[in-house]
Amino acid sequence: CIPNAASLHSPEHTFVAIETSDITTVHDSVTCDSCQRKPIIGQYYHCLVCSNFDLCARCYLTNAVSDRKIHD
């Protein structure tokens, strides 16, 4: 994950955890917008404001999201 990526994403946007009952669930169509990990395995976080902005649990939980792109 890239440190400090959060500064490029509006701090006013809220993320929601996409829960899975199995930590080995593979989300083939989801890419982490911080570290570019694809697929994401297990829980991930989706921005409630933006149509397509997701973070893997590692990037979300470590706040390692400062270099991510600005998005709609």
Side-chain angles (χ1 to χ4, degrees), residues 31-48:
T31 301
C32 176
D33 287 296
S34 177
C35 69
Q36 302 306 305
R37 179 177 305 197
K38 183 177 180 179
I40 293 178
I41 299 172
Q43 184 173 346
Y44 69 97
Y45 295 80
H46 178 75
C47 179
L48 290 176

Side-chain angles (χ1 to χ4, degrees), residues 20-36:
T20 61
S21 58
D22 182 357
I23 62 169
T24 62
T25 299
V26 177
H27 304 280
D28 289 315
S29 62
V30 182
T31 301
C32 176
D33 287 296
S34 177
C35 69
Q36 302 306 305

